[in-house]
Amino acid sequence: MRKRSARKRSVGGLCLAVLMTAGMMTGCGDAGDASQKEGTAVVLNEVAHSIFYAPMYVAIEEGYFEEEGISLTLVTGFGADKTMTAVLTGEADIGFMGCESTVYTYAGGTEDYVVNFAQLTQRAGNFLVSRQPVENFSWDMLVGKNVLGGRAGGMPEMVFEYILEKNGIDPASDVNIDQSIDFGSTAAAFSGGDADFTVEFEPHATALEQKGEGYVVASLGEDSGYVPYTSFSAKKSYLEKNRDVVQAFTNALQKGMDYVQEHTPEEIAKVISPQFPETDMETLTTIVERYYTQDTWKENLIFEEDSFTLLQNILEDSGVLEKRVPYEDLVTTDFAREAAK
């Protein structure tokens, strides 16, 4: 129980830090106002630059945003807390991150709260990597082991714990989970450390395998089932003032979603390769194939209420949500439904 309390304080600290930063930066201007004046300019802050988000990069590389009249600037936030801060302060018009962040800021009392308008992924995008090869892996093999996990209150860590609990394992007492390492640094820490397992996104999971330093033994996306992992969101005021821009943005995304449904992993990898110049085509195709075969990407961008309820179930199970928040406040499906027509 003590670990649960510590986790709740950590998430509260995250929310407070975001709100304080937003308060200090209100004099820096609002990207929403700039977008409205310029008409087509949109600043998108993504939580990470990952092959996991392939449909978005297809939309960029295929020129779908330009077709819809959007001049897109893509910025990588390197963490949901940083992406959320960028949206709240007006440095970004739209954020792309785990939708749990919108729950935290709403619960924290933000007046101009952030609303989800398009869901991209429907499965977790990370993998469990073992130090040693494992045949016939089962989750009970983690009992008593040291695992490099994710930030408390973040979707990667919460989905990992959700899977453990589904398999009768108590994350607080049965597994030694290290949550002290920054996002994106766990693979390097695993290479130079002594943990038994690490939870990794691509391309880090495949890179560890290629170097002979780790072995992918499980997909969190497959074992957790369908979960609303990442979505696009914007401040309530931005959505109200820029409905045509948001609709055009969503239309472009839907074209990207359609592309990945209608093309092979090889074709998808070729299109998004300019986004990942450091990754060779064979590796890129392997990673896209992993996400493709586990049904990572939705056919449309509609964020259904059942998915939002599951999200809050996970948040409650993780001890980071004391009171549920209303779906109708934090999700709008208007733009996604129109784009799907």
Side-chain angles (χ1 to χ4, degrees):
M1 293 301 294
R2 286 195 298 273
K3 187 168 183 177
R4 294 268 184 223
S5 299
R7 185 178 300 118
K8 187 177 295 182
R9 286 196 298 273
S10 176
V11 173
L14 165 64
C15 187
L16 179 61
V18 169
L19 295 175
M20 288 179 66
T21 304
M24 289 187 291
M25 296 181 66
T26 52
C28 296
D30 192 309
D33 293 340
S35 178
Q36 191 173 23
K37 290 176 183 177
E38 296 179 11
T40 59
V42 172
V43 178
L44 170 63
N45 190 299
E46 58 175 1
V47 63
H49 199 68
S50 172
I51 300 162
F52 183 38
Y53 312 133
M56 175 172 66
Y57 305 127
V58 167
I60 292 172
E61 294 299 327
E62 288 293 284
Y64 297 150
F65 287 103
E66 286 87 348
E67 288 179 6
E68 293 292 336
I70 297 292
S71 176
L72 187 70
T73 298
L74 181 64
V75 179
T76 304
F78 298 104
D81 53 341
K82 298 176 180 65
T83 296
M84 177 57 78
T85 296
V87 174
L88 289 174
T89 60
E91 288 189 342
D93 300 303
I94 295 171
F96 177 62
M97 61 192 131
C99 39
E100 77 283 354
S101 296
T102 66
V103 175
Y104 299 151
T105 52
Y106 182 93
T110 303
E111 184 175 349
D112 192 5
Y113 51 85
V114 177
V115 178
N116 301 283
F117 65 86
Q119 180 189 338
L120 185 76
T121 55
Q122 61 183 1
R123 287 191 186 273
N126 42 8
F127 300 86
L128 185 70
V129 180
S130 171
R131 177 78 61 188
Q132 303 295 333
V134 176
E135 293 186 11
N136 302 317
F137 172 80
S138 61
W139 287 95
D140 57 10
M141 293 180 180
L142 269 62
V143 174
K145 302 298 184 180
N146 298 317
V147 182
L148 300 185
R151 173 180 56 82
M155 281 299 287
E157 177 63 21
M158 289 190 295
V159 169
F160 175 47
E161 295 184 9
Y162 175 68
I163 293 171
L164 294 178
E165 290 172 348
K166 280 178 59 177
N167 285 273
I169 302 167
D170 186 342
S173 61
D174 294 337
V175 185
N176 303 315
I177 304 174
D178 184 349
Q179 297 178 272
S180 66
I181 300 171
D182 290 339
F183 180 84
S185 299
T186 50
F190 185 74
S191 295
D194 58 1
D196 303 297
F197 296 89
T198 183
V199 179
E200 296 295 336
F201 280 96
E202 294 288 14
H204 300 300
T206 295
L208 286 170
E209 281 195 322
Q210 291 175 335
K211 292 185 292 185
E213 296 177 349
Y215 304 85
V216 174
V217 295
S219 163
L220 275 71
E222 291 179 352
D223 289 334
S224 63
Y226 292 108
V227 295
Y229 208 78
T230 49
S231 64
F232 295 87
S233 56
K235 287 192 293 187
K236 179 177 64 170
S237 62
Y238 182 85
L239 295 178
E240 292 169 351
K241 295 175 184 177
N242 301 276
R243 293 192 63 84
D244 290 345
V245 174
V246 176
Q247 187 62 65
F249 180 92
T250 310
N251 292 346
L253 286 174
Q254 183 60 58
K255 292 177 182 179
M257 303 293 274
D258 293 341
Y259 186 99
V260 300
Q261 294 294 327
E262 298 165 357
H263 292 77
T264 65
E266 292 80 8
E267 291 169 325
I268 297 167
K270 183 176 180 180
V271 168
I272 68 172
S273 60
Q275 291 284 326
F276 303 94
E278 72 288 351
T279 306
D280 64 83
M281 278 302 302
E282 182 179 355
T283 300
L284 188 58
T285 303
T286 297
I287 295 171
V288 171
E289 175 75 30
R290 274 183 173 161
Y291 287 134
Y292 187 92
T293 56
Q294 71 176 30
D295 197 22
T296 292
W297 306 301
K298 286 169 56 65
E299 293 184 3
N300 58 56
L301 297 156
I302 300 169
F303 197 151
E304 303 285 2
E305 186 168 5
D306 287 349
S307 294
F308 193 72
T309 298
L310 175 58
L311 168 68
Q312 298 205 75
N313 290 344
I314 294 172
L315 296 178
E316 279 191 340
D317 289 345
S318 296
V320 299
L321 183 64
E322 293 183 349
K323 183 179 179 181
R324 295 202 169 218
V325 300
Y327 169 79
E328 57 272 16
D329 282 359
L330 282 183
V331 177
T332 177
T333 62
D334 294 348
F335 304 102
R337 292 187 186 281
E338 179 64 27
K341 288 181 179 180

Coordinates of all heavy atoms in Angstrom, one line a residue, residues 153-226:
G153 N 2.2 7.0 -13.2 CA 1.1 7.7 -13.7 C 1.0 7.8 -15.2 O 0.1 8.3 -15.8
G154 N 2.1 7.3 -15.9 CA 2.1 7.3 -17.4 C 1.5 6.0 -17.9 O 1.5 5.0 -17.2
M155 N 1.0 6.1 -19.1 CA 0.3 4.9 -19.7 C 1.2 3.7 -19.8 O 0.8 2.6 -19.5 CB -0.3 5.3 -21.0 CG -1.6 6.0 -21.0 SD -2.9 5.0 -20.1 CE -3.3 3.8 -21.4
P156 N 2.5 3.8 -20.2 CA 3.4 2.6 -20.3 C 3.4 1.9 -19.0 O 3.3 0.6 -19.0 CB 4.7 3.2 -20.7 CG 4.4 4.5 -21.4 CD 3.2 5.0 -20.7
E157 N 3.6 2.6 -17.9 CA 3.8 1.9 -16.6 C 2.4 1.4 -16.1 O 2.3 0.3 -15.6 CB 4.3 2.9 -15.6 CG 4.4 2.3 -14.1 CD 5.4 1.1 -14.0 OE1 6.3 1.0 -14.9 OE2 5.2 0.4 -13.1
M158 N 1.4 2.2 -16.3 CA 0.1 1.7 -15.8 C -0.4 0.5 -16.6 O -1.0 -0.4 -16.0 CB -1.0 2.8 -15.9 CG -0.7 3.9 -14.9 SD -2.0 5.1 -14.8 CE -2.0 5.9 -16.4
V159 N -0.2 0.4 -17.9 CA -0.6 -0.7 -18.7 C 0.2 -1.9 -18.3 O -0.3 -3.1 -18.2 CB -0.5 -0.4 -20.2 CG1 -0.7 -1.7 -21.0 CG2 -1.5 0.6 -20.7
F160 N 1.5 -1.7 -18.0 CA 2.3 -2.8 -17.6 C 1.8 -3.4 -16.3 O 1.7 -4.6 -16.1 CB 3.8 -2.3 -17.4 CG 4.7 -3.3 -16.8 CD1 4.8 -4.6 -17.2 CD2 5.6 -2.9 -15.7 CE1 5.7 -5.5 -16.7 CE2 6.5 -3.8 -15.2 CZ 6.5 -5.1 -15.6
E161 N 1.5 -2.5 -15.3 CA 0.9 -3.0 -14.0 C -0.5 -3.6 -14.2 O -0.8 -4.6 -13.5 CB 0.9 -1.8 -13.0 CG 2.2 -1.3 -12.7 CD 2.2 -0.2 -11.6 OE1 1.1 0.0 -11.1 OE2 3.3 0.4 -11.4
Y162 N -1.2 -3.1 -15.1 CA -2.6 -3.7 -15.5 C -2.4 -5.1 -15.9 O -3.2 -6.0 -15.5 CB -3.2 -2.8 -16.5 CG -4.5 -3.3 -17.1 CD1 -5.7 -3.3 -16.3 CD2 -4.6 -3.7 -18.4 CE1 -6.9 -3.7 -16.9 CE2 -5.8 -4.1 -19.0 CZ -7.0 -4.1 -18.2 OH -8.2 -4.5 -18.7
I163 N -1.4 -5.4 -16.8 CA -1.2 -6.7 -17.2 C -0.7 -7.6 -16.1 O -1.2 -8.8 -16.0 CB -0.1 -6.7 -18.3 CG1 -0.6 -6.0 -19.6 CG2 0.4 -8.2 -18.7 CD1 0.4 -5.8 -20.6
L164 N 0.2 -7.1 -15.2 CA 0.6 -7.9 -14.1 C -0.6 -8.3 -13.2 O -0.7 -9.5 -12.8 CB 1.6 -7.1 -13.3 CG 3.0 -6.8 -13.9 CD1 3.8 -6.0 -13.0 CD2 3.7 -8.1 -14.3
E165 N -1.4 -7.4 -12.9 CA -2.6 -7.7 -12.1 C -3.6 -8.6 -12.7 O -4.2 -9.5 -12.1 CB -3.3 -6.4 -11.7 CG -2.5 -5.5 -10.8 CD -3.0 -4.1 -10.5 OE1 -4.0 -3.7 -11.3 OE2 -2.6 -3.4 -9.6
K166 N -3.7 -8.5 -14.1 CA -4.5 -9.5 -14.8 C -4.0 -10.9 -14.7 O -4.8 -11.9 -14.7 CB -4.6 -9.1 -16.3 CG -5.6 -8.0 -16.6 CD -5.5 -7.7 -18.1 CE -5.9 -8.9 -19.0 NZ -5.9 -8.6 -20.4
N167 N -2.7 -11.0 -14.4 CA -2.1 -12.3 -14.3 C -1.8 -12.7 -12.8 O -1.0 -13.6 -12.6 CB -0.8 -12.3 -15.1 CG -1.0 -12.4 -16.6 OD1 -1.1 -13.5 -17.1 ND2 -1.0 -11.3 -17.3
G168 N -2.5 -12.0 -11.9 CA -2.4 -12.4 -10.5 C -1.1 -12.0 -9.8 O -0.8 -12.5 -8.8
I169 N -0.4 -11.0 -10.4 CA 0.8 -10.5 -9.8 C 0.7 -9.1 -9.2 O 0.1 -8.2 -9.9 CB 1.9 -10.5 -10.9 CG1 2.1 -11.9 -11.5 CG2 3.3 -10.0 -10.4 CD1 2.9 -11.9 -12.8
D170 N 1.1 -8.9 -8.0 CA 1.0 -7.6 -7.4 C 2.2 -6.8 -7.8 O 3.4 -7.1 -7.4 CB 1.0 -7.8 -5.8 CG 0.7 -6.4 -5.1 OD1 0.9 -5.4 -5.7 OD2 0.3 -6.5 -3.9
P171 N 2.0 -5.7 -8.5 CA 3.2 -4.9 -8.9 C 4.0 -4.3 -7.8 O 5.2 -4.0 -7.9 CB 2.6 -3.8 -9.8 CG 1.2 -4.3 -10.2 CD 0.8 -5.2 -9.1
A172 N 3.3 -4.0 -6.7 CA 3.9 -3.4 -5.5 C 4.8 -4.3 -4.7 O 5.8 -3.9 -4.1 CB 2.9 -2.7 -4.7
S173 N 4.5 -5.6 -4.7 CA 5.2 -6.5 -3.8 C 5.9 -7.7 -4.5 O 6.9 -8.2 -4.0 CB 4.3 -7.0 -2.7 OG 3.2 -7.8 -3.3
D174 N 5.4 -8.1 -5.7 CA 5.9 -9.3 -6.3 C 7.0 -9.0 -7.3 O 7.8 -9.9 -7.7 CB 4.7 -10.0 -7.1 CG 3.7 -10.6 -6.1 OD1 4.0 -10.8 -5.0 OD2 2.5 -10.8 -6.6
V175 N 7.1 -7.8 -7.8 CA 8.1 -7.4 -8.8 C 8.8 -6.2 -8.3 O 8.2 -5.2 -7.8 CB 7.4 -7.1 -10.2 CG1 8.5 -6.9 -11.2 CG2 6.5 -8.3 -10.6
N176 N 10.1 -6.1 -8.6 CA 10.9 -4.9 -8.3 C 11.0 -4.0 -9.5 O 11.8 -4.2 -10.4 CB 12.3 -5.3 -7.8 CG 12.3 -6.3 -6.7 OD1 11.6 -6.1 -5.7 ND2 13.1 -7.4 -6.8
I177 N 10.1 -3.0 -9.5 CA 10.0 -2.1 -10.7 C 10.8 -0.8 -10.4 O 10.4 -0.1 -9.5 CB 8.5 -1.8 -11.0 CG1 7.8 -3.1 -11.3 CG2 8.5 -0.9 -12.3 CD1 6.3 -2.9 -11.5
D178 N 11.7 -0.5 -11.2 CA 12.5 0.7 -11.1 C 11.9 1.8 -12.0 O 11.8 1.7 -13.2 CB 14.0 0.5 -11.6 CG 14.9 1.7 -11.4 OD1 14.3 2.8 -11.1 OD2 16.1 1.6 -11.6
Q179 N 11.3 2.8 -11.4 CA 10.6 3.9 -12.1 C 11.4 5.2 -12.1 O 10.9 6.3 -12.4 CB 9.3 4.1 -11.5 CG 8.3 2.9 -11.6 CD 7.0 3.2 -11.0 OE1 6.8 3.0 -9.8 NE2 6.1 3.7 -11.8
S180 N 12.7 5.1 -11.8 CA 13.5 6.3 -11.6 C 14.2 6.8 -12.9 O 14.8 7.9 -12.9 CB 14.6 6.0 -10.6 OG 15.5 5.1 -11.0
I181 N 14.1 6.1 -14.0 CA 14.9 6.4 -15.2 C 14.0 7.2 -16.2 O 12.8 6.9 -16.4 CB 15.4 5.1 -15.9 CG1 16.3 4.4 -14.9 CG2 16.2 5.5 -17.2 CD1 16.7 3.0 -15.4
D182 N 14.5 8.2 -16.7 CA 13.8 9.1 -17.6 C 13.3 8.4 -18.9 O 13.9 7.4 -19.3 CB 14.7 10.3 -18.1 CG 15.0 11.3 -17.0 OD1 14.3 11.3 -16.0 OD2 16.0 12.0 -17.1
F183 N 12.2 8.9 -19.4 CA 11.6 8.4 -20.6 C 12.6 8.4 -21.7 O 13.3 9.3 -22.0 CB 10.4 9.3 -21.0 CG 9.7 8.8 -22.3 CD1 8.8 7.9 -22.2 CD2 10.0 9.4 -23.5 CE1 8.1 7.4 -23.4 CE2 9.4 9.0 -24.7 CZ 8.4 8.0 -24.6
G184 N 12.8 7.2 -22.4 CA 13.7 7.1 -23.5 C 15.1 6.7 -23.1 O 15.9 6.5 -24.0
S185 N 15.4 6.6 -21.8 CA 16.7 6.3 -21.4 C 16.8 4.9 -20.8 O 17.9 4.4 -20.4 CB 17.2 7.3 -20.3 OG 17.2 8.6 -20.8
T186 N 15.7 4.2 -20.8 CA 15.7 2.8 -20.1 C 16.5 1.8 -20.9 O 17.2 0.9 -20.3 CB 14.3 2.3 -19.9 OG1 13.6 2.4 -21.2 CG2 13.6 3.1 -18.8
A187 N 16.5 1.9 -22.3 CA 17.3 0.9 -23.1 C 18.8 1.1 -22.8 O 19.5 0.1 -22.6 CB 17.0 1.1 -24.5
A188 N 19.3 2.3 -22.7 CA 20.7 2.5 -22.4 C 21.0 2.0 -21.0 O 22.1 1.4 -20.8 CB 21.0 4.0 -22.6
A189 N 20.1 2.3 -20.1 CA 20.3 1.9 -18.7 C 20.3 0.3 -18.6 O 21.1 -0.3 -17.9 CB 19.2 2.4 -17.8
F190 N 19.4 -0.3 -19.4 CA 19.4 -1.8 -19.4 C 20.7 -2.3 -20.0 O 21.2 -3.3 -19.5 CB 18.2 -2.2 -20.3 CG 18.0 -3.7 -20.3 CD1 17.4 -4.3 -19.2 CD2 18.3 -4.5 -21.4 CE1 17.2 -5.7 -19.2 CE2 18.0 -5.8 -21.4 CZ 17.5 -6.4 -20.3
S191 N 21.2 -1.7 -21.0 CA 22.5 -2.2 -21.6 C 23.6 -2.1 -20.6 O 24.5 -3.0 -20.6 CB 22.8 -1.3 -22.8 OG 21.9 -1.5 -23.9
G192 N 23.6 -1.1 -19.8 CA 24.8 -1.0 -18.9 C 24.5 -1.4 -17.5 O 25.3 -1.2 -16.6
G193 N 23.3 -1.9 -17.2 CA 22.9 -2.3 -15.8 C 22.7 -3.7 -15.6 O 23.2 -4.6 -16.4
D194 N 22.0 -4.1 -14.6 CA 21.8 -5.5 -14.2 C 20.3 -5.9 -14.1 O 20.1 -6.9 -13.5 CB 22.6 -5.8 -12.9 CG 22.1 -4.9 -11.8 OD1 21.2 -4.1 -11.9 OD2 22.7 -5.1 -10.7
A195 N 19.4 -5.1 -14.6 CA 18.0 -5.5 -14.5 C 17.8 -6.8 -15.3 O 18.5 -7.1 -16.3 CB 17.1 -4.4 -15.0
D196 N 16.7 -7.5 -14.9 CA 16.4 -8.7 -15.6 C 15.5 -8.5 -16.9 O 15.6 -9.2 -17.9 CB 15.6 -9.7 -14.7 CG 16.4 -10.0 -13.4 OD1 17.5 -10.6 -13.6 OD2 16.0 -9.6 -12.3
F197 N 14.7 -7.4 -16.8 CA 13.8 -7.1 -17.9 C 13.7 -5.6 -18.0 O 13.9 -4.9 -17.0 CB 12.4 -7.7 -17.6 CG 12.3 -9.2 -17.6 CD1 12.5 -9.9 -16.4 CD2 12.0 -9.9 -18.7 CE1 12.4 -11.3 -16.3 CE2 11.9 -11.3 -18.7 CZ 12.1 -12.0 -17.5
T198 N 13.2 -5.1 -19.2 CA 12.9 -3.7 -19.4 C 11.7 -3.6 -20.3 O 11.5 -4.5 -21.1 CB 14.1 -3.0 -20.0 OG1 13.8 -1.6 -20.1 CG2 14.5 -3.5 -21.3
V199 N 10.9 -2.6 -20.1 CA 9.8 -2.3 -20.9 C 10.2 -1.2 -21.9 O 10.5 -0.1 -21.5 CB 8.6 -1.9 -20.1 CG1 7.4 -1.6 -21.0 CG2 8.2 -3.0 -19.1
E200 N 10.1 -1.6 -23.2 CA 10.7 -0.7 -24.3 C 9.7 -0.4 -25.4 O 9.1 -1.3 -25.9 CB 12.0 -1.2 -24.8 CG 13.1 -1.4 -23.8 CD 13.6 0.0 -23.3 OE1 13.4 1.0 -24.0 OE2 14.2 0.0 -22.2
F201 N 9.7 0.8 -25.9 CA 9.1 1.1 -27.2 C 10.1 0.8 -28.3 O 11.3 0.6 -28.1 CB 8.8 2.6 -27.3 CG 7.5 2.9 -26.5 CD1 7.5 3.4 -25.2 CD2 6.3 2.8 -27.2 CE1 6.3 3.7 -24.6 CE2 5.1 3.1 -26.5 CZ 5.1 3.6 -25.2
E202 N 9.6 0.8 -29.5 CA 10.5 0.7 -30.7 C 11.0 2.1 -31.0 O 10.3 3.1 -30.7 CB 9.7 0.1 -31.9 CG 9.3 -1.3 -31.7 CD 10.4 -2.3 -31.8 OE1 11.6 -1.9 -31.7 OE2 10.2 -3.5 -31.9
P203 N 12.2 2.2 -31.6 CA 13.0 1.1 -32.1 C 14.0 0.5 -31.0 O 14.8 -0.3 -31.4 CB 13.8 1.8 -33.2 CG 14.0 3.2 -32.6 CD 12.7 3.6 -31.9
H204 N 13.8 0.9 -29.7 CA 14.8 0.5 -28.7 C 14.7 -1.0 -28.5 O 15.7 -1.7 -28.3 CB 14.5 1.2 -27.4 CG 14.7 2.7 -27.5 ND1 15.8 3.3 -27.9 CD2 13.8 3.7 -27.4 CE1 15.7 4.6 -28.0 NE2 14.5 4.9 -27.6
A205 N 13.5 -1.6 -28.5 CA 13.4 -3.0 -28.3 C 14.1 -3.8 -29.4 O 14.9 -4.7 -29.1 CB 11.9 -3.5 -28.3
T206 N 13.9 -3.5 -30.6 CA 14.6 -4.1 -31.7 C 16.1 -3.9 -31.7 O 16.9 -4.8 -32.0 CB 14.0 -3.7 -33.1 OG1 12.7 -4.1 -33.2 CG2 14.8 -4.3 -34.3
A207 N 16.5 -2.7 -31.3 CA 17.9 -2.3 -31.3 C 18.6 -3.2 -30.2 O 19.8 -3.7 -30.4 CB 18.1 -0.8 -30.9
L208 N 18.0 -3.4 -29.1 CA 18.6 -4.3 -28.1 C 18.8 -5.7 -28.6 O 19.8 -6.4 -28.3 CB 17.7 -4.3 -26.8 CG 17.8 -3.0 -25.9 CD1 16.7 -3.1 -24.8 CD2 19.1 -2.9 -25.3
E209 N 17.8 -6.2 -29.3 CA 17.9 -7.5 -29.9 C 19.0 -7.5 -31.0 O 19.8 -8.5 -31.0 CB 16.6 -7.9 -30.6 CG 15.5 -8.3 -29.7 CD 14.4 -9.0 -30.4 OE1 14.0 -8.6 -31.5 OE2 13.9 -10.0 -29.9
Q210 N 19.1 -6.5 -31.8 CA 20.2 -6.5 -32.8 C 21.6 -6.5 -32.2 O 22.5 -7.1 -32.8 CB 20.0 -5.3 -33.7 CG 18.7 -5.4 -34.6 CD 18.5 -4.2 -35.4 OE1 18.9 -3.1 -35.1 NE2 17.8 -4.3 -36.6
K211 N 21.7 -5.9 -31.1 CA 23.0 -5.8 -30.4 C 23.3 -7.0 -29.5 O 24.4 -7.1 -28.9 CB 23.1 -4.5 -29.6 CG 23.1 -3.2 -30.4 CD 23.4 -2.0 -29.5 CE 22.2 -1.7 -28.7 NZ 22.3 -0.4 -27.9
G212 N 22.3 -7.9 -29.4 CA 22.5 -9.1 -28.6 C 22.4 -8.8 -27.1 O 22.9 -9.6 -26.3
E213 N 21.8 -7.6 -26.8 CA 21.7 -7.2 -25.4 C 20.4 -7.5 -24.7 O 20.2 -7.2 -23.6 CB 22.1 -5.7 -25.3 CG 23.5 -5.4 -25.7 CD 23.8 -4.0 -25.6 OE1 22.9 -3.1 -25.5 OE2 25.0 -3.6 -25.8
G214 N 19.4 -8.0 -25.5 CA 18.1 -8.2 -25.0 C 17.3 -9.0 -26.0 O 17.7 -9.2 -27.2
Y215 N 16.2 -9.6 -25.5 CA 15.3 -10.4 -26.3 C 13.8 -10.1 -26.0 O 13.4 -10.1 -24.9 CB 15.6 -11.9 -26.0 CG 17.0 -12.3 -26.2 CD1 17.9 -12.1 -25.1 CD2 17.5 -12.8 -27.4 CE1 19.3 -12.4 -25.3 CE2 18.8 -13.2 -27.5 CZ 19.7 -13.0 -26.5 OH 21.0 -13.3 -26.6
V216 N 13.1 -9.7 -27.1 CA 11.7 -9.4 -26.9 C 10.9 -10.7 -26.6 O 11.0 -11.6 -27.4 CB 11.1 -8.7 -28.2 CG1 9.6 -8.6 -28.1 CG2 11.8 -7.4 -28.5
V217 N 10.3 -10.7 -25.5 CA 9.6 -11.9 -25.1 C 8.1 -11.7 -25.0 O 7.3 -12.7 -24.9 CB 10.1 -12.4 -23.7 CG1 11.6 -12.8 -23.8 CG2 9.9 -11.3 -22.6
A218 N 7.6 -10.5 -25.0 CA 6.1 -10.3 -24.9 C 5.8 -8.9 -25.4 O 6.6 -7.9 -25.4 CB 5.6 -10.4 -23.5
S219 N 4.6 -8.8 -26.0 CA 4.0 -7.5 -26.5 C 3.0 -7.1 -25.5 O 2.0 -7.8 -25.2 CB 3.4 -7.7 -27.8 OG 2.5 -6.6 -28.1
L220 N 3.2 -5.9 -24.9 CA 2.2 -5.3 -23.9 C 0.9 -5.0 -24.7 O -0.2 -5.1 -24.1 CB 2.8 -4.1 -23.2 CG 3.6 -4.4 -22.0 CD1 4.9 -5.0 -22.3 CD2 3.8 -3.2 -21.1
G221 N 1.0 -4.7 -26.0 CA -0.2 -4.4 -26.7 C -1.1 -5.6 -26.9 O -2.3 -5.5 -26.8
E222 N -0.5 -6.7 -27.1 CA -1.3 -8.0 -27.3 C -1.8 -8.4 -25.9 O -3.0 -8.8 -25.8 CB -0.4 -9.1 -27.9 CG 0.0 -8.8 -29.3 CD 0.8 -9.9 -29.9 OE1 1.2 -10.8 -29.1 OE2 1.1 -9.9 -31.1
D223 N -1.0 -8.3 -24.9 CA -1.5 -8.9 -23.6 C -2.4 -8.0 -22.8 O -3.1 -8.4 -21.9 CB -0.2 -9.3 -22.7 CG 0.5 -10.5 -23.3 OD1 -0.2 -11.3 -24.0 OD2 1.7 -10.6 -23.1
S224 N -2.4 -6.7 -23.1 CA -3.3 -5.8 -22.4 C -4.7 -5.7 -23.1 O -5.6 -5.3 -22.4 CB -2.7 -4.4 -22.3 OG -2.5 -3.8 -23.6
G225 N -4.7 -6.1 -24.3 CA -6.0 -5.9 -25.1 C -6.1 -4.5 -25.6 O -5.1 -3.7 -25.6
Y226 N -7.3 -4.1 -26.0 CA -7.5 -2.8 -26.6 C -7.6 -1.8 -25.5 O -8.4 -1.9 -24.6 CB -8.8 -2.8 -27.4 CG -8.7 -3.6 -28.7 CD1 -9.4 -4.8 -28.8 CD2 -7.9 -3.2 -29.8 CE1 -9.3 -5.6 -30.0 CE2 -7.8 -4.0 -30.9 CZ -8.5 -5.2 -31.0 OH -8.3 -5.9 -32.2

